[in-house]
Amino acid sequence: MSENEKERRIRPGTVALGALSGALAGFAALAFAEAVAGLVRPQAGPVVAVGGAAIDRTPTPVKDWAIRHFGTDDKLVLQLGILAVLTLFALLLGIAAPRFRRTAALGVLLFGVVGAAAATSRPDSRGVADALPSVVGAVVGAVVLYVLAGRLAPRPPATTEREAAPGDRDRRGFVITATAAALASAGAGALGRSLGGAAGRDAVASRRAVMLPAPASPAAAVPRGAGLRIPGISPFTTPNGSFYRVDTALVVPKVDATAWRLRIHGKGVARPRKLTYDDLVRRELIERDITLTCVSNEVGGPYVGTPAGSAYAWPICWPSAGCARPPGAARPTSSWPARSTA
């Protein structure tokens, strides 16, 4: 075997170290993307964005099947599946990286493009800002893989007896680089979690500060005997903590009551408006007990509950019919919604 063939030959252990390089690159990409998403918004993270795009394009029968079989864990199963696919591709790119450094690095960047496209295609996308987490994460991951793969490449022939033998890998450099990448990625991931948690705490605090006024039209008292005290049967009114949750949101929205806005716009709206939460609170409150059930709930299933609900009286204006009022609501003092031409 010639010297050139020996240098091109993959040395023992290179496959395992290459796979480790790919795993570290994938970890770095996701961790730094998480950190940037903490600055932008959690929904812009690549895993959440790709998962949301997948949910949007999944046929309804498949969604119903997932809810029936996985229940409220359906979103967790989806995210674990995405992470499993990303891990597999990261390992494959890492194995190929020692011989095809540029191609492997471009493969990491390609995943960044997929994540950015998914984030910007979401209905609530904020445009370029939502693409930043995937782009930054992919660039970091590509650099990590490129550098680690370089440490695994055979070194040129030694010029002195003290230098390494021809074809030896830079083992020390690989260990140092891999350790630094792992620590930096762990720090970036922790930073992203901290930023996301801080935003969530502020939102929760703003909601707890909200004081709802007494309803102008209170709900009727629950009739005696409506709550059957039978083991296995829930109470008539479902506590908030026990109410079912079935939705397609991979990240629960953290809504700040002080920053929340209701935008009234669209075709046929002559005067678009934006309303704050305080604007709604100043309107008359209607309270009703309404039983809600998920469309995927089977007979006797758990996805049903009766919250003590409240709604604000709101006039609905039509071109010739004037304003209609919800039953039991007093006539509003102002007609904020524009007249509809629909």
Side-chain angles (χ1 to χ4, degrees):
M1 183 180 294
S2 66
E3 290 297 327
N4 291 335
E5 290 176 340
K6 289 181 180 179
E7 290 183 10
R8 288 196 300 266
R9 183 181 178 183
I10 298 179
R11 296 173 61 82
T14 301
V15 172
L17 293 177
L20 176 60
S21 301
L24 288 174
F27 177 44
L30 291 178
F32 278 86
E34 185 80 12
V36 178
L39 295 173
V40 179
R41 62 184 190 125
Q43 292 86 344
V47 175
V48 175
V50 172
I55 291 174
D56 290 345
R57 292 162 176 78
T58 300
T60 300
V62 177
K63 295 180 184 178
D64 293 341
W65 177 88
I67 293 174
R68 286 195 301 270
H69 287 77
F70 301 115
T72 55
D73 293 328
D74 57 339
K75 292 175 283 293
L76 175 61
V77 172
L78 173 61
Q79 290 178 303
L80 290 177
I82 294 174
L83 290 175
V85 172
L86 290 177
T87 301
L88 176 61
F89 275 93
L91 294 175
L92 294 176
L93 289 175
I95 293 173
R99 299 186 64 182
F100 308 100
R101 293 173 66 190
R102 294 181 180 178
T103 302
L106 288 175
V108 178
L109 294 177
L110 178 61
F111 278 100
V113 172
V114 173
T120 54
S121 68
R122 305 290 295 135
D124 60 344
S125 172
R126 297 180 182 177
V128 178
D130 280 358
L132 286 178
S134 295
V135 172
V136 173
V139 171
V140 172
V143 171
V144 169
L145 182 58
Y146 189 84
V147 173
L148 287 176
R151 301 297 186 186
L152 296 177
R155 293 193 288 184
T159 57
T160 66
E161 293 182 357
R162 291 187 176 183
E163 292 184 5
D168 278 356
R169 296 185 296 263
D170 185 4
R171 295 184 179 88
R172 182 180 179 183
F174 179 86
V175 172
I176 293 175
T177 305
T179 303
L183 292 176
S185 301
L191 175 62
R193 292 289 182 180
S194 177
L195 292 173
R201 288 190 294 271
D202 293 341
V204 171
S206 72
R207 295 197 299 270
R208 287 178 176 173
V210 172
M211 299 295 293
L212 293 178
S217 176
V222 177
R224 287 187 176 183
L228 303 177
R229 298 181 179 180
I230 300 176
I233 295 183
S234 59
F236 179 81
T237 301
T238 307
N240 286 338
S242 302
F243 202 83
Y244 72 89
R245 177 196 166 201
V246 176
D247 54 49
T248 60
L250 296 179
V251 175
V252 179
K254 298 178 175 63
V255 181
D256 189 328
T258 60
W260 179 87
R261 297 292 183 271
L262 171 63
R263 183 184 176 196
I264 303 175
H265 66 110
K267 184 178 180 180
V269 178
R271 292 186 300 158
R273 280 188 173 272
K274 282 187 178 181
L275 305 175
T276 66
Y277 192 79
D278 288 338
D279 292 333
L280 294 183
V281 170
R282 284 194 291 267
R283 304 192 69 82
E284 294 174 339
L285 188 66
I286 299 174
E287 183 184 57
R288 294 292 184 270
D289 293 327
I290 301 175
T291 299
L292 303 177
T293 182
C294 177
V295 67
S296 303
N297 193 47
E298 298 178 349
V299 176
Y303 306 127
V304 61
T306 304
S310 300
Y312 290 99
W314 196 258
I316 303 175
C317 299
W318 301 98
S320 58
C323 293
R325 291 177 295 154
R331 182 172 295 279
T333 57
S334 62
S335 297
W336 282 346
R339 291 173 61 88
S340 172
T341 58

